[in-house]
Every structure is written in C-alpha cells, then in structure tokens.
C-alpha cells in the first residue's frame, strides 16, 4: 500500500467525518480554482450576514474578515501567476441580521472595509426610503465608492440620473485587460418612492448603452454583467442579445446572477456564461473567463470556469493550499464586526428555544417555524387575536432563517424576521368561501421572494377556514397591496359588483419583528433545568417536535465520528509501521488555464479528477 496515498485518504476522510455532523452541504474538504485571463471573486445576497453563521453552523464559520483574508491570499496567488483578480458584490446587503437597520449606519462602515472593484444594487437595498436617502446623501455610501457602485437601470425618481454609475471599466494592471462592467437589477416594481427602476428592455436600447458597448468610451476585452436576477431570467438573454448586436458574437460576456439564493452555473451561448453564488454568506463564488482573441475560434465555452467555495475557514484554507488563512487585515475586520455587534446590543440574550424550528419545512410539521408563528407567536402577541375567527396571511419570504435550539440572541430573532413590517387588518366579516378562493389564488402565484426551491407555497395562511363562517383577514405591510388587490378581484368575480377599493386598517403597537422579540423574551425567558425536549420536562412542549430525539441523534453522530476517527488513527499507525515508500510531491489544486491533463497526477489525487470537480459541488 502506498503511504502517501493512504495518508491523503485518511486525512481527507477524517476531516470529512469531523465536519459532517454539523456542516450543511459541506461534502468536500476543498475545491479547485482555475485561473484564466480574467478572474473574478463573487459575493451575492449576503443580506447583512457579514458576521457569518459560526455560532449555530460551524460548517459555515467564516465572516467578512475571513473572506477578506481569502481574497488577499488569492490575489497574491494571481499576482504570482501574472494575472489580475477582481472582487465584486452583486447586491442585497440589506435585511438579514441585527446589523441591518434603517438607515444602515453601522453596516455600511463594515462594507466599506471590503476592497470591491464593483458593486451592484439589489432590491432590498432600494426598497426602503430611509435607507435610500442615507446611502445616496452627499458624501454617503454610494459616492464613497467613487464610481464602483453600479446602477445601470436604477435612477433618481422622475429623472434620468443614475443612482450610482451606469457602468465601469475595470482595468487589469498585470494582464493589461479592460473589462466593461454593468450593474443591472430585474424589473423591480416595489422600490422606494425616491428611485425608479427602468425596464431592462428599454435600457439596453438606450443611446448611452449603445455608445458604451459600441466602444465610444473606450475599447474593452470582455464584458462583465452583474445581474441581480435569477440565472434563468429572460432579461439575461435580452441583455446578451443587445450586446451581440453591437459587439459581435465572439465578445466574451460573463453574467453574475443573484436574487434567488441558489448555486447555479450555465452556458448562455458559445462565448457567454452565467453564474450564481448562493446567499447569506454561505458561498464565495469564483469565475474566470477569456479576453477576446481570434485564437478562441468558434466556441469558447471551455474557457469559462467557475467554483463554489464553502465559507468554512478550513475549507477556504485548503482550497488555497496555504498554511494559515488569517491575515492582519482580515483579523482586524473580524474584530471590528464583533465590536459593532456588541455596541449595537444585538448579541444580548433574549431567551432559549426548546428545539430548532425550521423555515424550509411543511407548515404542519411540529418543528415548522411557520407553525410556531401562527399557533403561538401571533395568538400571544396580536392585540385581541381570536384564533378561530382571525386569519393571517404572509408570503413565504417574510420569514428568513431557522431559529436554533438553545440560547437565542437578539440578532437570532431579527434573522428570523428582519423587516419590522407593520400589521394591517384587510377586512372584517369575510365569508369563508371567499377566503378559500383567495387562498387558492395566492398560493398559485409566485411572490417576489419565491423561487420554487422550497416545499412551501408562495403564501401561507393561519388556521382552518370553513365556508359557512366569517373571518377577519390580516397581513403584513409588504403584502398588503397584493393581498388587497387579489381579494378585490375575488369579490368582484363572486358578486359581479364593483365593491370599490379595500382600505386596510393598521394595527397599532405591533410589527412582525416585535412580535417575535416579545414572545421569546417573555415566553421563553429560559429553558427548564434538565430540559431535553421530551419526557424529562414532562412531555413535548406545546406539541412541538421531540427535541430529545434530535439531541440523541446528535450524540450518536458524535459517537460514530469519534469511533471512526479512532479506527482511522489505528489504520494510519499500521501504515506508518509497515510502509517504506517515500511521500510523493504535492500538486496544488489551483490551475492556470485548467490542469495539465497530459501530466500524470500522483496516486493521492486519482479520486479527485480536476476535470469533474464541478459535478461534485452540490447545488443548493
């Protein structure tokens, strides 16, 4: 048996088992990165999760400081290779954790520490009037980036003046490359009143876009389109078609998609690719693509490379094949983030959750976050709530993250429900038959956050509805217009009479976030001593899932892990004693223009074929 091969195998396997009980989707210990003519590191849809997930999810323990360290190391590697590295953020820095406030005065001070070369706008970044006013004030966040904040189709309301810059030329000092870069958002209809989102279809046919793509502002070697939209959105095809009309079929075009919170990558045509890199700082994305060159021939798809890098610090270190991930600047930013969290009071203890409540599970499941909201939080916190006569409806995107078992900090609660939306009563005395029709209509629609990657319908209703009964209907601020409009249509179809506009009534003294904060602080002030979710505390709490079963499963997982590690240690000791082979040379997993497939790889890498790395990366 070859000792180098066995060492590599055992170490990789032991690391996998060590991470497995806690990591979410961390199926590998590292990934490959392929350097090309143009290299871009990508973050998207972080939604203020700059502090990472380490307290609850060790498999995603990296924060923005660690990401900064990763960038600094990767940039050094690219420099040694003779290539450039650009760093971009594709929108939606708002709405997620306790760091996100309106205005985002604390959060933007963290964001300014990131060395981004281009920033796109996301829908959450321009949905709140106060936030838009804050980031666009003279000398504010947008101006601070000096033309790097891109808003190709977002303008100040009633004008044609872009909120940021329409485009930017990125210049590679080492490769001497020029990358024409845009920042588009999908045709967002719910922006704050002080901004307008121009239709993408109109913008790509505008004079300024035609001039830029036509080279009026200078020649370029490739196009990078930051596109805050689904990777399969038809607007990507529209943008590309217009670029092709002006710049030709062989201009390399790389799209960076977002908004739908998934990992995905695909070819758009023979000289274009699209890439989307997750959400909530669960992924660092990387793409490389070619400069325009006749040597590319008639099909350059093989030159577009991508990698999904899990935000686990050990995974990140192993991906770069370095001894230590931490840099001075990165460590300083991590400390800065923690200090801001402390100063804001969002690390304050608020209560104790008896089990983990999941957002991505069916509403009737005992550990469903939605069931908890509708059966316990709202009845306890909504003034005068009648569980048999009142119905609450909300879009599936209004709850944003799981609520984990154990100590609950203020930021954990805000992560579940970050919007502080007001509550509105839509109407009293609604027949159950009408509500059933409303439910059927809404649950067949697609709400702005819903992307089909969930077991949940786009809208969820509380309680049971009987046709013969009458009810009062409530919803949150974001959905009040949509629910009211659909209800008006249902009523008109039922009665054939124009009943006029529904005028919702605001419920005073309560918001969606405040309900959760009060409920947990009062009802879950502390967990019972010895509580394990089941018999020790006198039965399951309020019908919720047996947390003891979950805990026992975790202990079994840890026991198995320790047993496997002990076995591996013994195997390794035997190999050390019996083997006389010399260790084989290490081949780093960062490639320039792809791996040299003509070179024989050492035995230790035979199971890690670099040509099939992408197929091993789980798409979430």
């Amino acid at each position: 048996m070859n000792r180098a091969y066995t060492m590599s195998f055992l170490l990789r396997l032991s690391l996998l088992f060590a991470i497995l009980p806690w990591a979410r989707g961390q199926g590998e210990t590292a990934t490959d990165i392929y350097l090309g003519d143009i290299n871009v590191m990508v973050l998207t849809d972080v939604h203020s999760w700059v502090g990472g997930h380490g307290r609850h999810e060790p498999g995603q323990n990296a924060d923005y400081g660690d990401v900064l360290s990763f960038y600094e190391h990767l940039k050094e590697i690219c420099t040694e290779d003779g290539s450039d590295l650009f760093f971009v953020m594709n929108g939606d820095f708002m709405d997620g954790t306790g760091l996100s406030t309106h205005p985002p005065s604390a959060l933007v001070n963290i964001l300014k520490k990131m060395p981004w070369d281009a920033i796109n706008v996301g829908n959450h970044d321009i949905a709140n009037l106060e936030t838009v006013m804050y980031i666009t004030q003279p000398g504010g966040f947008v101006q601070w980036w000096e033309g790097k904040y891109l808003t190709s189709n977002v303008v100040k309301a009633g004008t044609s003046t872009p909120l940021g810059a329409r485009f930017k030329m990125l210049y590679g000092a080492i490769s001497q490359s020029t990358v024409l870069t845009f920042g588009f958002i999908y045709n967002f209809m719910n922006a704050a009143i002080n901004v307008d989102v121009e239709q993408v279809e109109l913008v790509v046919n505008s004079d300024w876009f035609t001039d830029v793509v036509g080279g009026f502002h200078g020649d370029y070697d490739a196009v990078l389109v930051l596109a805050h939209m689904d990777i399969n959105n038809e607007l990507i095809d529209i943008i590309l078609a217009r670029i092709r009309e002006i710049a030709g079929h062989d201009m390399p075009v790389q799209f960076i998609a977002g908004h739908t919170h998934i990992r995905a990558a695909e070819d758009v045509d023979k000289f274009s690719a699209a890439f989307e890199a997750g959400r909530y700082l669960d992924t660092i994305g990387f793409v490389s693509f070619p400069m325009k060159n006749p040597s590319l021939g008639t099909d350059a798809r093989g030159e577009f490379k991508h990698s999904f890098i899990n935000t686990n610090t050990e995974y990140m270190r192993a991906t770069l094949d370095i001894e230590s991930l931490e840099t001075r600047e990165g460590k300083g930013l991590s400390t800065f983030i923690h200090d801001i969290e402390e100063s804001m009071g969002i690390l304050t203890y608020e209560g104790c959750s008896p089990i983990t409540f999941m957002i991505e599970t069916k509403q009737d499941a005992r550990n469903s976050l939605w069931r908890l909201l509708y059966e316990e939080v709202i009845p306890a916190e909504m003034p005068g709530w009648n569980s048999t006569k009142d119905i609450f409806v909300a879009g599936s995107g209004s709850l944003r993250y799981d609520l984990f078992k154990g100590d609950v900090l203020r930021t954990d609660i805000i992560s579940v429900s970050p919007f502080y939306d007001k509550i509105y009563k839509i109407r009293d005395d609604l027949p159950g038959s009408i509500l059933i029709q409303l439910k059927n209509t809404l649950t067949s629609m697609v709400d702005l956050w819903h992307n089909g990657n969930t077991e949940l319908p786009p809208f969820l209703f509380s309680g049971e509805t009987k046709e013969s009964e009458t009810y009062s209907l409530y919803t949150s601020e974001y959905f009040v217009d949509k629910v009211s409009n659909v209800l008006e249509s249902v009523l008109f179809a039922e009665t054939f009479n124009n009943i006029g506009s529904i005028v919702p009534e605001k419920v005073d003294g309560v918001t969606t976030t405040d309900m959760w904060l009060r409920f947990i602080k009062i009802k879950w002030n502390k967990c019972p001593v010895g509580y394990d979710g089941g018999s020790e505390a006198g039965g399951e709490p309020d019908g919720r899932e047996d947390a003891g079963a979950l805990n026992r499963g975790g202990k079994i997982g840890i026991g198995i892990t320790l047993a496997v590690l002990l076995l591996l240690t013994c195997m390794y000791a035997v190999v050390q004693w019996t083997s006389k082979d010399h260790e084989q040379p290490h081949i780093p997993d960062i490639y320039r223009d792809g791996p040299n497939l003509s070179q024989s790889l050492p035995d230790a890498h035979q199971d890690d074929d670099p040509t099939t790395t992408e197929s091993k990366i789980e798409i979430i």
Side-chain angles (χ1 to χ4, degrees), residues 21 33 54 89 95 147 203 237 259 299 404-405 452 605:
I33 292 177
M89 195 275 282
D95 295 334
V203 171
D237 296 321
H259 182 60
D299 191 338
F404 291 89
K405 177 183 176 180
H605 291 270

Side-chain angles (χ1 to χ4, degrees), residues 377-399:
V377 177
I378 286 179
E381 301 303 328
M382 278 281 286
W385 184 260
N386 184 333
S387 294
T388 61
K389 302 294 291 182
D390 295 333
I391 299 292
F392 200 102
V393 57
S396 61
S398 53
L399 296 184

Side-chain angles (χ1 to χ4, degrees), residues 325-339:
L325 177 67
E326 185 177 271
T327 66
R328 184 176 63 85
E329 293 295 329
K331 181 179 180 180
L333 180 53
S334 296
T335 301
F336 184 65
I337 293 169
H338 182 77
D339 289 347

Side-chain angles (χ1 to χ4, degrees), residues 249-262:
H249 74 279
D250 59 348
M251 175 60 69
V253 181
Q254 174 72 61
F255 287 90
I256 304 298
H259 182 60
T260 46
H261 297 178
I262 62 174

Side-chain angles (χ1 to χ4, degrees), residues 532-533 545-554:
D532 200 24
E545 181 175 295
D546 179 2
L550 297 177
N551 191 51
R552 287 190 295 274

Side-chain angles (χ1 to χ4, degrees), residues 1-65:
M1 181 181 291
N2 183 285
R3 191 179 71 177
Y5 175 84
T6 307
M7 279 180 54
S8 175
F9 174 77
L10 293 179
L11 289 174
R12 289 183 182 218
L13 191 58
S14 63
L15 179 58
L16 173 61
F17 272 96
I19 294 176
L20 187 59
W22 304 280
R24 304 177 79 187
Q26 314 293 335
E28 300 200 1
T29 57
T31 192
D32 297 341
I33 292 177
Y34 302 96
L35 302 183
D37 293 341
I38 301 166
N39 306 292
V40 182
M41 183 169 145
V42 180
L43 293 177
T44 190
D45 294 86
V46 174
H47 288 286
S48 76
W49 283 89
V50 299
H53 302 257
R55 194 165 62 86
H56 294 301
E57 299 168 290
Q60 298 176 24
N61 63 347
D63 61 19
Y64 257 23

Side-chain angles (χ1 to χ4, degrees), residues 328-508:
R328 184 176 63 85
E329 293 295 329
K331 181 179 180 180
L333 180 53
S334 296
T335 301
F336 184 65
I337 293 169
H338 182 77
D339 289 347
I340 287 181
E341 289 175 324
E342 288 275 14
S343 68
M344 294 176 68
I346 61 175
L347 301 183
T348 303
Y349 174 89
E350 297 290 348
C352 179
S353 177
I355 66 170
T356 293
F357 291 92
M358 310 290 289
I359 188 172
E360 293 292 343
T361 190
K362 292 181 180 179
Q363 184 178 346
D364 60 356
R366 284 181 291 178
N367 66 333
S368 166
L369 196 61
W370 283 96
R371 181 174 178 175
L372 176 64
L373 171 65
Y374 283 159
E375 294 187 7
E376 297 193 43
V377 177
I378 286 179
E381 301 303 328
M382 278 281 286
W385 184 260
N386 184 333
S387 294
T388 61
K389 302 294 291 182
D390 295 333
I391 299 292
F392 200 102
V393 57
S396 61
S398 53
L399 296 184
R400 305 292 281 184
Y401 214 69
D402 298 340
L403 181 62
F404 291 89
K405 177 183 176 180
D407 290 353
V408 178
L409 308 186
R410 187 175 186 86
T411 191
D412 297 327
I413 303 172
I414 297 172
S415 299
V416 167
S417 179
F419 300 114
Y420 288 91
D421 276 355
K422 301 178 181 67
I423 306 297
Y424 284 84
K425 180 191 288 187
I426 300 294
R427 184 165 171 165
D428 285 319
D429 300 323
L430 274 174
S433 59
I434 296 294
L435 274 179
I436 291 172
Q437 291 184 54
L438 175 68
K439 182 176 182 178
N440 291 337
T441 302
L442 285 174
T443 54
S444 66
M445 300 173 68
V446 177
D447 109 73
L448 289 175
W449 283 309
H450 194 268
N451 59 35
N453 297 298
T454 174
E455 295 184 31
L456 301 175
F459 284 85
L460 295 98
F461 286 69
S462 69
E464 296 292 331
T465 305
K466 298 179 181 179
E467 289 191 9
S468 59
E469 300 289 338
T470 59
Y471 301 89
S472 296
L473 180 66
Y474 295 79
T475 192
S476 58
E477 181 179 1
Y478 186 86
F479 301 103
V480 67
D481 289 339
K482 179 177 288 188
V483 173
S484 298
N485 292 337
V486 174
L487 180 58
E488 288 175 7
S489 299
V490 170
L491 287 169
F492 180 79
E494 180 73 14
T495 64
F496 296 102
N497 291 320
N498 188 350
I499 63 169
S501 298
I502 292 175
V503 182
E505 175 186 346
K506 184 168 74 72
V507 178
D508 292 330

